[in-house]
Amino acid sequence: MLLLKAKISNNTASIDHIILKSVSNPSSVHGIYPYRGKISAKDAISVIAQLSPNRTLLDPFCGTGTILYEAQKFGMDVIGVDPNPLANIVSKGKMSLQGLDKEKTLDEVESIIKKAKSLKKVKKLPVDAEKGFHSDTADQIMRVKEFYNEMSDYLKSIFCGSICISARGCNNYIWTSTTVGRNTYPKRFINFYEKFTSKAKKHFYKLENKNKCTIYSRDARTLSKFIKPNSVDYVFTSPPYFDGLDYTAYYAKFVYPILEIDRISVKKNLIQSLKTYETDMQKCLNEIVKITKNGALIIFVVGDKKIKNQTISGGDFFSELLHHKPNQIIERQYSGSASQVFDKINKTNRKEQIVVWDKSTW
């Protein structure tokens, strides 16, 4: 359950309190890839439904595009920004569903697998990834990888997600859906062809809306260099966790080497350093102010951070990053979620906040 409680509320545009019995939504397009720390689709929808369609919404930390997909589905033009190439692959895959045909896509999957099986020679799985897989599963992954550049954006994202679920299976499903544990032996054979096919079927939720979508593989600290000033109506985002969550870790450690992406180079360009986090977020917010309209709403979903024995409220932290104080902070607490497991281990009682700035009051 998700409980929302108002902490600050002024006579301005505001987000209503929402109570959700569950934030889980596994049978959706958002199950393509187990991206760590992503916002729940139901959570995103509860906010988006309170905004006006036919507007432009920016998610400057779009990750795998949960907010973008739901906002476009609602009738908005959307702009996403994220420097992580893996996040870009998945978000573009989701948004490409606007113009795809399901039958043709599944025919493409069948054709790729047929060609993959017929290959006489195939590259070996990279050393950095091979410890996660049964040797026969690894062989199938690399056979399909030979046709990666021919795939539609949707199937590229499905390929990445299939790697993750196969790694979990090869390790006897001891790992969670988002967290990688210790390697288990002997490895279990998982048929990658079957996983690739089933995920392509399972997550195909076509976007009927024709609104515009632009995804930039850029940095939110430089938004005004590629987005016009005074052009965005809403900013709605869940920024990088300010406890230093590594967005290149977990299942991504297998995906990057398979895609021949230098994980360390990616990591260096992401906002996940505790030392510079406050400065980086100030830069991002200042850029957001430049490219948003005078009456824009800026909505950040943030969480608490634990330092030693002290818990810092994300809402309080972000309230100090702009000269203008938020017009509203809604505090919420989950029950019946995975977060509670970690809270029990760490002896914390973390909460999250929705922080809202209304530029019409500035």
Side-chain angles (χ1 to χ4, degrees), residues 31-153:
I32 287 176
Y33 187 92
Y35 199 68
R36 186 83 164 126
K38 66 182 178 183
I39 189 170
S40 157
K42 290 185 177 180
D43 198 358
I45 292 167
S46 70
V47 173
I48 291 167
Q50 299 181 57
L51 307 177
S52 298
N54 302 315
R55 301 288 191 275
T56 298
L57 179 145
L58 164 70
D59 183 349
F61 311 102
C62 70
T64 56
T66 302
I67 289 173
L68 301 182
Y69 180 92
E70 297 302 337
Q72 188 172 42
K73 190 174 164 186
F74 185 65
M76 294 184 184
D77 291 337
V78 295
I79 303 170
V81 178
D82 204 297
N84 188 339
L86 179 53
N88 291 162
I89 290 167
V90 181
S91 58
K92 287 178 180 177
K94 290 179 184 179
M95 305 311 292
S96 71
L97 284 165
Q98 187 182 62
L100 283 188
D101 177 82
K102 186 172 185 178
E103 291 306 314
K104 288 182 179 179
T105 298
L106 296 180
D107 286 345
E108 184 184 353
V109 170
E110 187 177 340
S111 174
I112 288 169
I113 292 174
K114 185 177 179 179
K115 289 188 290 185
K117 288 179 177 179
S118 69
L119 289 173
K120 292 181 179 179
K121 263 190 162 185
V122 66
K123 294 178 182 178
K124 289 187 177 181
L125 199 73
V127 174
D128 290 345
E130 64 181 3
K131 63 183 179 182
F133 301 92
H134 187 283
S135 58
D136 291 340
T137 304
D139 178 72
Q140 291 181 348
I141 290 171
M142 294 308 290
R143 285 175 178 275
V144 175
K145 166 63 169 52
E146 287 292 317
F147 305 96
Y148 178 81
N149 292 331
E150 300 174 17
M151 295 179 192
S152 65
D153 285 341

Side-chain angles (χ1 to χ4, degrees), residues 157-318:
S157 66
I158 291 295
F159 177 72
C160 295
S162 299
I163 292 171
C164 302
I165 196 170
S166 296
R168 186 184 179 199
C170 286
N171 288 273
N172 296 290
Y173 294 101
I174 292 174
W175 301 349
T176 71
S177 58
T178 57
T179 305
V180 172
R182 289 186 299 178
N183 283 294
T184 63
Y185 297 95
K187 300 295 184 187
R188 178 178 179 176
F189 169 63
I190 297 296
N191 191 314
F192 185 77
Y193 301 144
E194 291 179 358
K195 293 299 181 186
F196 187 50
T197 302
S198 64
K199 282 190 78 69
K201 290 178 181 176
K202 182 178 180 180
H203 301 299
F204 196 105
Y205 288 83
K206 189 168 183 178
L207 266 173
E208 300 295 343
N209 206 297
K210 300 295 184 182
N211 289 72
K212 294 179 182 177
C213 171
T214 306
I215 298 174
Y216 292 101
S217 181
R218 302 286 292 272
D219 194 317
R221 288 167 286 194
T222 61
L223 289 172
S224 62
K225 291 185 178 180
F226 54 95
I227 298 176
K228 291 181 181 179
N230 196 37
S231 65
V232 172
D233 299 287
Y234 300 123
V235 172
F236 176 28
T237 192
S238 177
Y241 282 28
F242 78 125
D243 60 358
L245 179 66
D246 184 353
Y247 288 89
T248 68
Y250 310 101
Y251 287 98
K253 284 187 176 182
F254 302 121
V255 181
Y256 284 117
I258 291 171
L259 295 183
E260 301 175 60
I261 295 172
D262 183 359
R263 173 178 169 263
I264 301 304
S265 295
V266 172
K267 186 175 179 178
K268 287 179 181 178
N269 293 323
L270 301 183
I271 298 175
Q272 51 191 35
S273 169
L274 294 176
K275 292 181 181 179
T276 61
Y277 188 89
E278 183 173 351
T279 302
D280 287 334
M281 278 299 146
Q282 283 180 326
K283 289 178 182 177
C284 293
L285 279 163
N286 288 333
E287 288 293 289
I288 285 169
V289 171
K290 292 178 186 177
I291 54 93
T292 47
K293 296 179 181 178
N294 291 334
L297 283 182
I298 301 168
I299 305 165
F300 272 50
V301 178
V302 300
D304 290 345
K305 172 186 175 184
K306 185 182 179 184
I307 299 180
K308 295 181 180 179
N309 295 321
Q310 182 183 9
T311 300
I312 300 174
S313 161
D316 292 342
F317 178 87
F318 276 84

